[in-house]
């Protein structure tokens, strides 16, 4: 079973690729783990990322992650650019 912290790290790494900059998490809110992910049963995930530049070199991210039609994670994060 993939732990939630690993999912949060995946979201951070994908966001870093999208903005082409290293990031550090400043805050996270509305974190909802809604289902367990077993990579042997559900090897493919769909991650929807809404990425927006914030104030003072920050990046705001809203995420919803799925396998099939099952929502597994929702979260909002603010990262600072290093």
């Amino acid at each position: 079973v993939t732990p939630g912290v690993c999912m949060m790290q995946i979201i951070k790494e994908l966001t870093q690729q999208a903005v082409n900059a290293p990031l550090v998490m400043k805050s996270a809110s509305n974190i909802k783990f809604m289902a367990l992910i077993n990579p042997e049963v559900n090897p493919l995930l769909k991650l929807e990322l809404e990425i927006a530049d914030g104030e003072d070199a920050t990046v705001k991210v809203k995420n919803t992650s799925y396998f099939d039609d099952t929502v597994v994670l929702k979260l909002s994060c603010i990262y600072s650019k290093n």
Side-chain angles (χ1 to χ4, degrees), residues 1-17:
V1 177
T2 304
V5 174
C6 292
M7 283 297 301
M8 293 175 69
Q9 180 67 25
I10 290 168
I11 292 164
K12 176 188 166 196
E13 290 176 9
L14 291 172
T15 304
Q16 287 181 141
Q17 288 179 359

Side-chain angles (χ1 to χ4, degrees), residues 51-81:
I51 301 171
D53 286 327
E55 299 174 10
D56 301 326
T58 60
V59 177
K60 295 180 180 182
V61 177
K62 289 186 181 181
N63 166 262
T64 305
S65 299
Y66 306 85
F67 62 78
D68 301 325
D69 291 329
T70 302
V71 176
V72 295
L73 171 63
K74 288 186 174 185
L75 68 83
S76 298
C77 293
I78 298 176
Y79 299 100
S80 61
K81 294 181 181 178

Side-chain angles (χ1 to χ4, degrees), residues 25-73:
M25 183 182 291
K26 287 181 65 172
S27 66
S29 60
N30 300 322
I31 302 170
K32 297 178 184 173
F33 297 102
M34 304 171 84
L36 295 175
I37 302 167
N38 182 336
E40 294 176 353
V41 176
N42 303 100
L44 300 177
L45 297 176
K46 176 183 175 184
L47 281 75
E48 294 178 352
L49 298 173
E50 292 180 30
I51 301 171
D53 286 327
E55 299 174 10
D56 301 326
T58 60
V59 177
K60 295 180 180 182
V61 177
K62 289 186 181 181
N63 166 262
T64 305
S65 299
Y66 306 85
F67 62 78
D68 301 325
D69 291 329
T70 302
V71 176
V72 295
L73 171 63

